[in-house]
Amino acid sequence: MKKMVFMAIVLVGIIAPLAIWGGRQAQTLFAGCQFVPGSLENKSAAEIERAALDYACANFKSVNAPRVRLNRTISPNEYMSFFGGNNALCKGQRLALVILEGGFESVNVPGMRPKPASAKFIGLLFDLKSGEPTSIMGSKTGEGFAEILNDPNLPPRTSQRAPIPEKLRACTYGQIVPTIMPPNH
């Protein structure tokens, strides 16, 4: 009887913290996944690919091992020509696009930027200076990725792209936006 009570306490002691800790952390613990953002400037294509795989592993449950379909640098304007306008991008920003194919389910972690709920394809647009994705696209069928992957086997885009801004804002890494203080009365 004491042995059963002891085993129950041990199991509760293991399961409860994992449940509280959440899916992402448990996946990281068991799969060895960890994404640590850091500059990807002057990094090799293999290092950028590794960062994308680490990000996907830490932020998505994978049904199978993802396959890298595309890994290359891309300008903001070129990116928007494929995926539509994006107000998060700035003039002269150095970006890398990594598209992964696999079976992905989003890990819902409070405070994380929106991610697709489930997808066969995930596109991660990395800002090379910050080393973090500025945009995450997903598709259950590959729709939206056929053109950039040059893959006629993927379904064509059926949704409209967001309009591309006429002018991109200047990049403001580490700068504080000036504010105007009201006059004291």
Side-chain angles (χ1 to χ4, degrees):
M1 183 65 151
K2 288 181 182 179
K3 193 174 189 178
M4 284 179 46
V5 170
F6 177 74
M7 287 300 290
I9 292 171
V10 168
L11 285 174
V12 168
I14 292 171
I15 294 170
L18 288 177
I20 293 169
W21 202 11
R24 175 178 181 219
Q25 289 82 1
Q27 180 182 359
T28 301
L29 176 67
F30 294 119
C33 303
Q34 186 176 11
F35 175 72
V36 179
S39 176
L40 295 172
E41 291 181 301
N42 303 317
K43 299 291 183 181
S44 69
E47 290 170 303
I48 293 169
E49 187 173 300
R50 179 78 258 152
L53 289 168
D54 288 345
Y55 184 88
C57 183
N59 289 278
F60 295 92
K61 292 180 188 176
S62 293
V63 177
N64 51 21
R67 179 172 74 121
V68 177
R69 291 286 307 264
L70 178 83
N71 175 14
R72 70 177 180 91
T73 57
I74 190 167
S75 73
N77 287 330
E78 184 183 13
Y79 169 82
M80 290 187 291
S81 73
F82 286 109
F83 296 102
N86 186 326
N87 290 328
L89 302 179
C90 57
K91 185 178 179 181
Q93 189 174 16
R94 297 193 54 230
L95 304 166
L97 177 62
V98 181
I99 298 175
L100 305 172
E101 180 180 3
F104 304 97
E105 288 183 32
S106 181
V107 177
N108 294 320
V109 179
M112 294 295 293
R113 64 175 54 97
K115 297 183 290 287
S118 66
K120 181 177 180 182
F121 289 84
I122 297 290
L124 301 170
L125 181 66
F126 280 89
D127 178 308
L128 295 178
K129 188 168 186 110
S130 71
E132 292 189 80
T134 62
S135 183
I136 302 169
M137 301 82 60
S139 173
K140 290 182 179 189
T141 63
E143 180 183 338
F145 292 100
E147 186 180 5
I148 194 157
L149 293 175
N150 195 25
D151 187 343
N153 296 318
L154 295 177
R157 177 184 303 278
T158 58
S159 60
Q160 290 249 340
R161 293 181 183 129
I164 298 172
E166 290 181 26
K167 187 175 178 183
L168 291 175
R169 65 181 173 79
C171 295
T172 56
Y173 292 106
Q175 296 177 6
I176 298 173
V177 178
T179 58
I180 299 172
M181 298 299 291
N184 291 335
H185 289 278

